[in-house]
């Protein structure tokens, strides 16, 4: 391509448009750049890749059905392969904030594929010969079924290739800490107050279980995302598409991605609603809630170093203050909790957007996939950082933990089966108000001998049912 500032003339159904000579996009993309200069949020690269995959699959399907020549198919496929490989990224400049069906992005892809194919064939950019963006690249398709198909491909690839591995990585790291801390007995806390003992390993087992449950939720959301709208065309009837197109193109997308995509059984729902994204986003919110709890627990247990709980020793990754020398902060926890808040907000946007499908089309598609991918990517990256720079080097301050345990008033719970709830409570209150130990309070009240007390109040025997 040329690299100077000349323009060329492209045309669409509304007339001619001047387009920079050194780009592959055409008239409709140029119009969108003019009419939708809103914000700085570009259509996610995952959506662009997904579009290239579905356009490649569509070309191969149309060739198989006798609707596209072998020569045209080869050109479209070659151009699509470049985009799938990550090339031509600068040819997709459109914002998320455009038409709610994503028509401009579909046409952006059609124009880039057509012009790149034309260039490969030695033709003139913008001539639409030998490849037409609508008649060839978009054959048997509508923006109304291609964009939701790209949404599902992009979301599924993001979950399977990025998010799920990050969940498993963090889960494994926490499980390792669970085993490492298995014999460290500590004071439990409920309502932010002292409670009966447990092991630090038991506490971490709860985190592992939360991630297991969140992972299960994410995996249960995948079948809905495997259903593809392609073949429904404009309103779900499949007008202008070959009767076998929908099934065959889904099979080809499945082969290209090595994921079990299928043709959506009802194309009307596939175009007019995106309930699968509400379900999947709910799973991401569930994960965010679990991560929020885990990150908050760890930073609270690591508070200090001298005037906080200080039961955990967090890795010191960077200076924590521009004014207080030597200060180190729980920055990984802070980053994680901010991500979790963002994901919860994204879920609200997705839910509202899905609820706004009117008649045969939901026109909030770009904002749904933008927020979903934002959630998935933020969570995956945050978990990887959290695992790498916090969990793996996390240590327990056993001396601090033992100090709190030995001074916990709630060890008195072990006495209740022997002397009853009321007398046990009296011992706890006396020890608290007089700043004495439980043993001293018990002996002063004369409820047990020292030997009896020490036989009953043994934290290692208070870690489970008996």
């Amino acid at each position: 391509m040329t690299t100077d500032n000349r323009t060329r003339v492209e045309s669409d159904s509304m007339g001619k448009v001047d387009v920079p000579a050194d780009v592959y996009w055409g008239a409709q993309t140029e119009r969108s750049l003019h009419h939708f200069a809103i914000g700085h949020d570009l259509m996610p690269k995952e959506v662009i890749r997904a579009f290239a995959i579905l356009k490649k699959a569509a070309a191969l399907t149309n060739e198989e059905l006798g609707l596209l020549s072998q020569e045209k198919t080869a050109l479209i496929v070659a151009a699509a392969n470049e985009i799938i490989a990550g090339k031509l990224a600068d040819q997709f400049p459109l914002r998320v904030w455009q038409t709610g069906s994503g028509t401009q992005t579909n046409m952006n892809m059609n124009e880039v594929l057509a012009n790149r194919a034309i260039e490969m064939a030695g033709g003139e950019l913008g001539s639409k010969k030998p490849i037409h963006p609508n008649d060839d690249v978009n054959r048997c398709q509508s923006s109304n079924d291609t964009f939701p198909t790209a949404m599902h491909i992009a979301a599924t690839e993001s979950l399977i290739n990025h998010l799920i591995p990050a969940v498993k990585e963090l889960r494994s790291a926490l499980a390792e800490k669970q085993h490492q801390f298995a014999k460290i007995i500590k004071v439990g806390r409920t309502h932010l107050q002292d409670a009966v003992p447990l092991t630090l390993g038991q506490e971490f087992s709860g985190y592992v279980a939360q991630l297991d449950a969140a992972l299960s939720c994410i995996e249960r959301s995948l079948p809905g995302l495997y259903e593809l709208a392609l073949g429904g065309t404009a309103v779900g009837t499949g007008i202008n598409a070959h009767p076998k197109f929908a099934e065959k193109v889904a099979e080809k997308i499945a082969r290209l991605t090595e994921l079990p995509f299928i043709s959506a059984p009802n194309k009307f729902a596939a175009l007019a609603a995106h309930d699968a994204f509400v379900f999947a986003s709910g799973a991401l919110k569930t994960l965010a809630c679990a991560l929020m709890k885990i990150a908050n627990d760890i930073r609270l247990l690591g508070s200090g170093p001298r005037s906080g709980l200080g039961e955990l020793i967090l890795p010191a990754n960077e200076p924590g203050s521009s004014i207080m020398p030597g200060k180190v902060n729980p920055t990984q926890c802070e980053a994680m909790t901010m991500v979790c808040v963002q994901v919860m907000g994204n879920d609200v946007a997705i839910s509202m957007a899905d609820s706004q499908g009117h008649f045969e089309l939901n026109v909030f598609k770009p904002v749904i996939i933008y927020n979903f991918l934002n959630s998935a990517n933020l969570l995956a990256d945050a978990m990887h950082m959290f695992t790498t720079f916090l969990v793996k080097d996390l240590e327990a301050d056993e001396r601090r933990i033992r100090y709190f345990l030995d001074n916990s008033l709630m060890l008195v719970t072990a006495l209740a089966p022997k002397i009853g709830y009321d007398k046990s409570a009296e011992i706890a209150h006396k020890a608290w108000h007089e700043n004495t130990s439980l043993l001293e309070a018990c002996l002063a009240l004369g409820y047990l001998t020292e030997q009896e007390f020490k036989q009953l109040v043994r934290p290692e025997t208070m870690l489970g049912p008996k």
Side-chain angles (χ1 to χ4, degrees):
M1 291 190 298
T2 59
T3 56
D4 57 26
N5 294 322
R6 292 180 303 162
T7 61
R8 68 173 188 272
V9 176
E10 289 260 2
S11 64
D12 58 17
S13 60
M14 297 188 71
K16 296 180 178 180
V17 178
D18 286 335
V19 175
D22 60 348
V23 300
Y24 288 123
W25 68 71
Q28 291 204 41
T29 302
E30 193 65 27
R31 291 186 195 279
S32 181
L33 285 171
H34 178 70
H35 293 137
F36 298 104
I38 304 171
H40 303 284
D41 306 306
L42 300 185
M43 192 60 65
K45 65 181 186 299
E46 296 92 341
V47 175
I48 301 304
R49 170 185 157 82
F51 254 109
I53 290 170
L54 77 87
K55 293 296 180 180
K56 176 180 178 178
L60 293 169
T61 301
N62 284 324
E63 180 192 19
E64 181 181 336
L65 295 172
L67 302 176
L68 198 64
S69 71
Q70 184 176 0
E71 292 75 19
K72 288 186 175 184
T73 300
L75 288 169
I76 294 172
V77 167
N81 283 339
E82 291 187 346
I83 297 170
I84 293 169
K87 300 178 181 179
L88 309 183
D90 59 347
Q91 299 301 307
F92 300 96
L94 300 188
R95 312 295 206 280
V96 169
W97 318 107
Q98 54 172 275
T99 178
S101 61
T103 299
Q104 278 82 40
T105 290
N106 180 44
M107 283 308 303
N108 185 189
M109 179 61 65
N110 290 337
E111 291 172 345
V112 170
L113 286 174
N115 273 327
R116 178 64 181 122
I118 289 169
E119 185 179 63
M120 290 176 174
E124 180 183 351
L125 297 187
S127 67
K128 301 183 182 180
K129 297 177 182 179
I131 302 295
H132 193 288
N134 296 84
D135 296 339
D136 297 319
V137 182
N138 202 59
R139 182 176 288 274
C140 292
Q141 303 155 61
S142 163
S143 299
N144 296 352
D145 65 350
T146 57
F147 199 91
T149 297
M151 289 169 66
H152 280 231
I153 295 171
T156 303
E157 287 198 327
S158 180
L159 292 181
I160 290 178
N161 297 332
H162 197 195
L163 181 75
I164 290 176
V167 177
K168 291 180 177 179
E169 178 189 34
L170 177 55
R171 189 261 181 217
S172 295
L174 288 170
E176 184 176 333
K177 293 300 173 181
Q178 173 191 338
H179 296 302
Q180 180 182 331
F181 300 152
K183 295 182 179 180
I184 301 175
I185 303 173
K186 57 162 287 178
V187 63
R189 295 181 178 89
T190 59
H191 304 271
L192 299 181
Q193 304 296 308
D194 298 352
V196 294
L198 76 165
T199 70
L200 188 55
Q202 288 174 321
E203 194 164 42
F204 270 67
S205 77
Y207 307 152
V208 173
Q210 281 188 278
L211 291 187
D212 284 338
L215 181 58
S216 177
C217 289
I218 294 167
E219 290 173 339
R220 288 200 301 273
S221 75
L222 290 173
L225 296 175
Y226 288 142
E227 296 183 4
L228 301 181
L230 205 54
T233 63
V235 298
T237 60
I239 187 172
N240 288 359
H242 190 284
K244 295 182 179 180
F245 178 80
E247 294 293 335
K248 286 186 175 295
V249 76
E251 291 172 1
K252 285 182 170 51
I253 291 172
R255 284 201 296 271
L256 289 172
T257 59
E258 298 182 345
L259 293 169
F261 289 110
I262 60 171
S263 182
N266 189 295
K267 302 298 189 298
F268 304 103
L271 272 61
H274 297 297
D275 299 342
F277 275 93
V278 175
F279 187 72
S281 179
L284 298 187
K285 182 176 69 173
T286 300
L287 174 60
C289 289
L291 292 170
M292 177 73 83
K293 188 261 193 294
I294 294 167
N296 275 333
D297 275 10
I298 289 176
R299 69 169 160 180
L300 289 172
L301 289 172
S303 60
R306 290 188 174 179
S307 59
L309 295 180
E311 293 189 348
L312 293 178
I313 304 170
L314 279 57
N317 294 322
E318 64 277 313
S321 174
S322 62
I323 189 172
M324 293 177 279
K327 195 173 193 298
V328 178
N329 296 327
T331 52
Q332 286 297 320
C333 295
E334 292 167 4
M336 175 64 82
T337 52
M338 285 193 292
V339 163
C340 292
V341 168
Q342 182 64 56
V343 171
M344 294 172 196
N346 288 346
D347 181 68
V348 173
I350 290 168
S351 300
M352 290 294 295
D354 175 66
S355 73
Q356 297 302 303
H358 302 143
F359 305 120
E360 279 63 63
L361 190 67
N362 178 292
V363 290
F364 287 74
K365 301 184 194 305
V367 74
I368 290 174
I369 190 59
Y370 173 75
N371 280 288
F372 186 86
L373 290 173
N374 182 245
S375 290
N377 290 332
L378 285 175
L379 285 169
D381 290 346
M383 283 187 290
H384 180 63
M385 295 294 101
F386 195 76
T387 302
T388 303
F389 297 113
L390 190 148
V391 176
K392 287 185 176 180
D393 293 323
L394 191 64
E395 298 294 338
D397 188 332
E398 296 190 47
R399 186 173 63 176
R400 182 81 167 175
I401 289 171
R402 187 71 202 186
Y403 170 79
F404 285 136
L405 179 65
D406 290 343
N407 288 277
S408 172
L409 296 177
M410 290 302 99
L411 294 177
V412 79
T413 306
L415 301 181
K418 177 73 174 180
I419 64 174
Y421 183 95
D422 291 339
K423 289 181 178 179
S424 299
E426 186 181 358
I427 292 171
H429 286 300
K430 183 177 179 63
W432 169 244
H433 290 298
E434 296 180 6
N435 195 27
T436 65
S437 69
L438 289 174
L439 174 60
E440 291 170 329
C442 182
L443 293 176
L445 290 168
Y447 290 145
L448 293 169
T449 67
E450 182 174 349
Q451 182 179 0
E452 288 173 325
F453 180 94
K454 290 182 176 179
Q455 186 176 8
L456 291 171
V457 181
R458 296 163 56 206
E460 66 272 15
T461 67
M462 300 174 66
L463 304 175
K466 66 173 183 178

